Amino acid sequence: SSGINAEYGGPIALKAVTSIAKACPGFPILATGGIDSADATLQFLHGGASVVQICSAIQNQDFTVVEDYITGLKALLYIQQVEGLEDWDGQSPPTERLHKGKPVIDISSIIGSDKPLPNFGEFAKTRSAMKAEWIRKQSLLNGNHNEDGDMLLQKKLASYPPKVHQVIGKALEFLGPWNDLNKKEQVIAKIDPEMCINCGKCYMTCNDAGYQAIKFDEETHIPSVIESKCTGCTLCFSVCPIIDCIQMVPREEEYVPDRGIPLQK
């Protein structure tokens, strides 16, 4: 693999493992190629691997990564049984609504307007003054603090963490060919104007390489999605520098693509 399996060979190896596991249920599989973390290890176990082999990661670092993977795998199995995280799928939880590291205050609701204020120039000064006034009026003893804290160690376990052999092949029932997907389940981009920094990257990307489905206010620089044009391609989502400012949410109505001039019969 010459030390490149993690980035390039990993998905191919995982596809091979899951294909064998689905074709030969219960057959012992040794997975190798692209296992560069505890998370990747759990993916291969969920895909049907009975045991995993590590090579490139050790070459790139040293044998201590083996102990790191074991510790990480134990943590992943533990976290899945923490009360409130029973449905955790191994991905990062949704991030708190933040702007420049601080919790987002909904200015629109404060001023009683549907039109949000942008985060630049004189608009930003107005926002800052309104936020300061709103914070000044808040009581520090309003009971909104979390008495239990957020540490995982302070939360209860819903059940005892599973053994490794109990999670082997856990994801196989959810895997299948593309044609099995429900093509009527579609998503659409949703932009949070309070988190937006008005950089215009989503607008430029959608306009240049997408479907021209985002409008950009000339005065406030606040983007908005044209629902009839958005195909859910996730281009804007991928270029947005603010985590979770753009989210892909289920579309309420089925998307009907605009193919231009219809063919003549």
Side-chain angles (χ1 to χ4, degrees):
S1 65
S2 300
I4 63 172
N5 249 355
E7 291 80 8
Y8 304 100
I12 299 174
L14 185 59
K15 171 63 169 62
V17 168
T18 55
S19 298
I20 296 172
K22 287 179 70 71
C24 307
F27 189 80
I29 302 172
L30 186 153
T32 182
I35 303 171
D36 63 342
S37 64
D39 186 61
T41 303
L42 187 60
Q43 290 180 18
F44 275 88
L45 293 173
H46 281 170
S50 309
V51 63
V52 298
Q53 175 179 297
I54 306 167
C55 180
S56 301
I58 295 176
Q59 293 173 344
N60 291 333
Q61 191 173 333
D62 54 46
F63 281 98
T64 60
V65 298
V66 176
E67 190 64 32
D68 292 342
Y69 289 8
I70 295 174
T71 303
L73 185 57
K74 289 179 179 179
L76 291 171
L77 296 176
Y78 171 85
I79 291 174
Q80 288 184 337
Q81 302 305 315
V82 172
E83 195 173 63
L85 297 178
E86 295 88 350
D87 297 328
W88 183 67
D89 60 359
Q91 303 297 316
S92 298
T95 57
E96 183 182 357
R97 291 181 73 206
L98 299 174
H99 184 266
K100 295 183 178 179
K102 298 181 179 180
V104 171
I105 298 176
D106 195 347
I107 298 296
S108 299
S109 63
I110 296 177
I111 63 179
S113 173
D114 295 334
K115 190 174 183 180
L117 287 175
N119 289 291
F120 69 94
E122 295 298 323
F123 296 111
K125 295 180 181 179
T126 303
R127 285 181 62 95
S128 180
M130 295 180 67
K131 288 168 62 176
E133 179 63 19
W134 182 85
I135 293 173
R136 187 183 66 82
K137 294 180 179 179
Q138 301 305 305
S139 172
L140 297 178
L141 302 177
N142 57 10
N144 290 332
H145 60 284
N146 184 359
E147 296 180 355
D148 295 331
D150 294 323
M151 295 180 62
L152 290 176
L153 294 177
Q154 296 178 345
K155 295 181 179 294
K156 298 180 180 179
L157 288 179
S159 60
Y160 195 79
K163 303 293 184 180
V164 170
H165 68 85
Q166 293 176 310
V167 301
I168 293 176
K170 184 179 179 181
L172 292 178
E173 62 177 307
F174 304 106
L175 302 179
W178 179 84
N179 291 333
D180 289 345
L181 295 176
N182 186 347
K183 300 176 182 61
K184 293 186 178 181
E185 292 183 359
Q186 301 169 330
V187 293
I188 188 172
K190 180 181 179 181
I191 303 174
D192 188 335
E194 297 292 344
M195 297 179 68
C196 179
I197 61 173
N198 317 112
C199 65
K201 287 186 176 181
C202 58
Y203 169 73
M204 290 186 290
T205 303
C206 186
N207 188 63
D208 294 343
Y211 297 86
Q212 297 77 52
I214 294 181
K215 295 186 297 183
F216 199 63
D217 190 286
E218 294 182 359
E219 178 184 2
T220 64
H221 296 185
I222 295 177
S224 58
V225 177
I226 305 173
E227 295 189 6
S228 60
K229 291 185 176 182
C230 180
T231 65
C233 70
T234 72
L235 271 175
C236 58
F237 173 83
S238 64
V239 301
C240 180
I242 306 300
I243 297 176
D244 288 345
C245 177
I246 299 180
Q247 298 187 34
M248 307 307 297
V249 299
R251 176 185 282 275
E252 296 182 359
E253 299 179 358
E254 184 177 355
Y255 172 70
V256 180
D258 183 6
R259 302 300 186 189
I261 301 175
L263 296 174
Q264 300 293 329
K265 294 184 178 180

